[in-house]
Amino acid sequence: MTDVPLDPLVALRPWEAPEVTSWGRLPMNAVDRRRGALPLDGDWRFELLSAPHAPVGGAWSSAYVPGVWTLQDTDDLPQYTNVRMPFPDIPPHSPAANPTGVYEREVDVPAEWAGRRIVLQVGAAESVLLVHVDGRPVGVSKDSHLAAEFDLTGLVRPGSSATVRLTVVKWSDASHVEDQDQWWHGGITRSVLLYATDPLHLADVTVRARRSGELRVDCRVRDAGGALPAGWYLTGELDGEPLAQDAEFDRANAEDERVSDFLGEARLGTTVPEVRTWNAETPELYDLTVRLHRADGTVADTSRHRIGFRDVEIVGRDLLVNGERVFIRGVNRHDFHPLTGRTVSYDDMRADLVLLKRFGFNAVRTSHYPGDPALYDLADELGLYVVDEADIESHDHAHEIADDPRYLNAFVDRVSRMVLRDKNHPSVIIWSLGNESDYGANHDAAAGWVRRHDTTRPVQYEGAAKLDWAATDDASDIACPMYAPLEDCVAHALSGEQTRPLIQCEYSHAMGNSNGTLADHWAAIEATPGLQGGFIWEFWDHGILQRVSDGRPVGRGGAGLYDNGVAAPGHRWAYGGDFGETIHDGAFIADGVVFPDRTPKPAMYEHREIAAPVRIECYRHEGIVLGNHQHFRGLDWLAGEWRLDLADGTTLSGPAELPRLCPGETAAVPLPFAVPQDGGEAWLTLRVTVAEDQPWAPRGTEVCVPQIRLRGPDPVEVEAPVARRAEVDGEGLLVHPLLTAAPTLSLWRAPTDNDELGGMAQRWRAWGLDALVRKVVSVREEAGRVTVEAEYAGTTGVVRHRQVLTPVEGGVRVDEEAELPAAFDDVARVGTVWETVAGLDLLEWFGQGPWESYPDRSTGAPVGHHAVPVDELFTPYLRPQESGGRHGVRRFTLSAPDATGLSVTLDEPRQVSVTRYRAGDLALAGHHDELVPRPGCVVHIDAAHRGLGTASCGPDTSPSYLVAPGIHHWSWTLRVL
């Protein structure tokens, strides 16, 4: 705390002074004060000013705390930028037009708090907070994502009321180091509370709990009245068992007021026999209670903690948890809610982490700022490793700020306060110095503080490590690159030069229809010592629910206006630019593995299968080899069920008895069924579920569905033609009573976000693939078989296409060949597109499913017999694009409720999509409210389909998933049901 007196708000101007991180703010600590506090959440008087110096009191309204004013019906609306600052001013300056929210309310201070120390806690405010009580200045705080506490003891009177005013200035010098890839908001985003302690109180508690069972609890004690009284002492309990006090460390009788600024220190400890260790698979927690006693034995203060015994260390190039090398299957998580923005409730945080656990994630990076304290409690309880990240990102001005001494205090302050608050959480295994802020002396200073203060965890920072993955003298203990090509990671691990773990802080960008090659990535990680995982970008699509009629956000009252990722009629998910802002980065904010309402995207099922705890390793000697791919846990918490699917429609099922396997072990089990001699292709699936209730999943929750093929397909028999003519029109197009658009060649898809931002879509349009012109070259008939030769001309090349239509029993076989010129060296697809009459509303198929899958994202879609209504096949990515595909389809039917319809048999497993939209419909729409479903079905059958990749931010798909020029063959048979 500074001795400089606080001036009135107008004179103080802290939003213009980067060297001022706080005035009057209390030091950060790890003592939990939420119990017994007086909550101040709810409606506050509110006025939004145009600038900090504007007069107050002209137009009071109300605002809900916690909440952002940008989603509470003000004229200051959300704005999304990724790298660019939303204003042109350079650091440390902020714009003159600076929205400033003034929150005010009366607080009744409990009479029983007389003689106690009274503290105001503001959970988070963006970006500068100024506190007044009854018109008197109290303090200032920056750092938008950590709590600020202020001592009000001499400013309020127990038994009476006081007027608390919280002024929040949106833009400041601090905004330049909070330039994260997210919506810009303003407001008080976490809870506000008032609490009281005895003047003699616990100032901090530091817990060190080792996997050996050794426990050390270091406590600091202060007295608000001055010198510590003689005779105070500490006691502690761990799960009800008393802790011993270290007498040599005890300063309870220190009377020298010069010692530690009236700070007393004492240590408690014990060694727990047969300790239950904490890890993400078995998150064992103990209840720790610390009590501070006066000399007469009465309790002055109490702090309660749930602690876990575990060790984190780096040995060579491995990150170890409790001595085990663990894979980090992580995701980056922002605070987000589609109605309340940055304000997230406890229930929402729990739902976030529960969903992640159910889909195989074991780690969270708090991008790019510390989370709410409750998030860490939940991670401790549910079992998730946390990379705790400081609120530092200076993306637009990174190079200047990294070495700017004016920002030195801000860097160290933000990192140190995070560590001081979160140090006792076993879930926190790594400290992060921030994100995308270049690398400079300010980072070295912050890293030095952390390494001195906490020797129990490593430090990481991508900006330091990216200069040299093999360096040993920078501010990062982990090589944590962003979107590094997989081949570069493997090469580094095999080079012999690797000095530290390689765990990507961001990889596999989840924007739109994405996350291609995720399985390839993890196959390489699991096979390559030195590679240990990474964090997908990111958890959420940050779509804000918006009314189409007036373009304004719906706000807190919008619950129930969305379901399964889709906004209700008259509403849509807004992204950058949808609130009238001119500086924005569009749909780049929609890059999560879940939709804004937390509905999982199909990529989540891919990750779930990649992270499966139990897997089918192989099929040999008429048996199956199962493997336990966990690090700490057996399989006893899981149950299983076998299912056998044959191509002819036969299915068999029965219970599975999982073997007793330690982590990393395998065992052979006999086949659960005698596989029928006939029936064609045969697939065995093990459906794995939770055997008993878990904190994150009730009994019966599906965990994974590993699968193996027991028998390949029978040879395809060429059907004999029947004695009739294939019906074609004058252009050689197939005429069929159930088709409204005949089968034609398709080389284009509605560009995904990866296609657009990766540059592929521009090439496709330049080649004219979105508007191919068909020209009939010849139509020949021979014995009822019709051969149609055509050319499809783009802007720069011509594709020769042959279609042979052969009447067969009950339908027509279509054999196709397309020859792509060398210029078309990377197209979206090569296949056939056609449309059906209305009324065919159910798709049933044998192939991969039931959810969406593509050639480079198909591990999570098991082969089987699936049925889904056509209207549910389409995936509503926030910006409409190619979606709804199913990979590896062998055959399918489209039927009406009366079971009439059509069936299609394919020559080999193909990529198929059935939706209500043409590719052109999707490509022209910016939001789903602009789409009009077609009455029939739009059907694509692809001989080849390009992989998805993650090129919107990261590597494109692998070369093996590209569609090359040359000759492509495919065939399919259409019949009427």
Side-chain angles (χ1 to χ4, degrees), residues 115-455:
R116 295 174 67 79
R117 168 178 169 264
I118 300 172
V119 178
L120 173 72
Q121 183 186 96
V122 181
E126 357 187 311
S127 69
V128 176
L129 170 69
L130 301 104
V131 180
H132 292 76
V133 172
D134 290 335
R136 289 174 289 177
V138 176
V140 174
S141 178
K142 299 180 185 178
D143 190 351
S144 294
H145 302 284
L146 281 176
E149 293 191 340
F150 304 90
D151 192 333
L152 306 188
T153 307
L155 300 172
V156 298
R157 190 168 69 252
S160 63
S161 66
T163 301
V164 175
R165 173 179 288 182
L166 306 179
T167 302
V168 180
V169 184
K170 184 174 183 180
W171 307 123
S172 70
D173 62 273
S175 300
H176 294 284
V177 291
E178 295 180 354
D179 181 20
Q180 289 111 357
D181 177 12
Q182 60 179 339
W183 291 100
W184 291 98
H185 290 293
I188 300 171
T189 57
R190 294 180 188 156
S191 290
V192 179
L193 55 89
L194 199 67
Y195 69 85
T197 73
D198 193 275
L200 179 66
H201 61 277
L202 289 165
D204 200 7
V205 174
T206 301
V207 177
R208 298 287 185 262
R210 306 294 302 274
R211 82 173 190 266
S212 63
E214 178 189 352
L215 173 65
R216 192 182 85 187
V217 185
D218 293 324
C219 302
R220 291 189 169 193
V221 177
R222 279 194 174 92
D223 193 297
L228 287 165
W232 64 264
Y233 63 96
L234 291 171
T235 62
E237 294 178 355
L238 185 70
D239 277 2
E241 296 296 322
L243 303 180
Q245 181 169 331
D246 188 336
E248 293 183 3
F249 195 72
D250 182 17
R251 294 185 182 176
N253 295 311
E255 297 180 357
D256 186 347
E257 295 183 359
R258 295 169 297 177
V259 174
S260 300
D261 188 26
F262 315 123
L263 179 69
E265 299 180 352
R267 177 179 293 168
L268 302 170
T270 190
T271 298
V272 179
E274 299 181 357
V275 66
R276 307 184 311 274
T277 57
W278 186 99
N279 59 73
E281 295 170 14
T282 56
E284 298 283 355
L285 294 175
Y286 289 73
D287 291 320
L288 170 68
T289 302
V290 177
R291 296 185 179 90
L292 170 63
H293 299 263
R294 303 180 190 89
D296 63 3
T298 56
V299 176
D301 202 1
T302 302
S303 185
R304 295 179 176 85
H305 306 262
R306 300 200 75 198
I307 67 169
F309 288 80
R310 62 102 182 94
D311 288 341
V312 180
E313 57 187 330
I314 292 176
V315 177
R317 56 182 185 171
D318 294 326
L319 174 71
L320 307 181
V321 174
N322 296 338
E324 295 291 330
R325 179 178 184 268
V326 297
F327 287 123
I328 302 300
R329 305 181 185 276
V331 71
N332 288 273
R333 179 194 172 275
H334 272 292
D335 283 345
F336 173 76
H337 190 279
L339 302 178
T340 56
R342 201 100 67 234
T343 297
V344 186
S345 70
Y346 174 88
D347 289 342
D348 283 323
M349 283 184 277
R350 185 179 185 91
D352 291 353
L353 300 191
V354 162
L355 187 67
L356 288 172
K357 289 285 289 187
R358 292 184 183 181
F359 280 88
F361 292 93
N362 70 355
V364 170
R365 176 178 175 229
T366 66
S367 55
H368 299 293
Y369 41 81
D372 186 286
L375 183 77
Y376 303 83
D377 294 339
L378 288 164
D380 295 342
E381 173 199 343
L382 299 173
L384 284 154
Y385 302 122
V386 174
V387 173
D388 204 5
E389 189 150 277
D391 188 12
I392 300 173
E393 180 170 341
S394 56
H395 208 156
D396 199 15
H397 298 283
H399 183 67
E400 308 98 287
I401 289 177
D403 284 306
D404 189 337
R406 294 175 298 178
Y407 279 94
L408 173 62
N409 192 32
F411 274 58
V412 176
D413 184 68
R414 287 162 181 256
V415 172
S416 63
R417 294 182 74 235
M418 171 187 71
V419 173
L420 289 168
R421 188 194 70 168
D422 298 334
K423 60 191 174 185
N424 295 336
H425 289 281
S427 58
V428 177
I429 64 168
I430 299 169
W431 302 117
S432 170
L433 303 180
N435 184 66
E436 293 179 319
S437 300
D438 206 346
Y439 180 39
N442 294 340
H443 294 99
D444 288 332
W449 187 94
V450 177
R451 286 168 169 161
R452 173 75 177 181
H453 183 81
D454 181 14
T455 61

Side-chain angles (χ1 to χ4, degrees), residues 3 146 404 426 704 846 865 868:
D3 293 331
L146 281 176
D404 189 337
C704 57
F846 179 58
H865 300 278
V868 176

Side-chain angles (χ1 to χ4, degrees), residues 747 766-769 772-773 791-800 821-824:
L747 305 181
W767 295 343
L769 301 188
L772 293 172
V773 177
E791 293 180 345
Y792 286 78
T795 305
T796 59
V798 174
V799 178
R800 293 180 174 84
F824 292 174

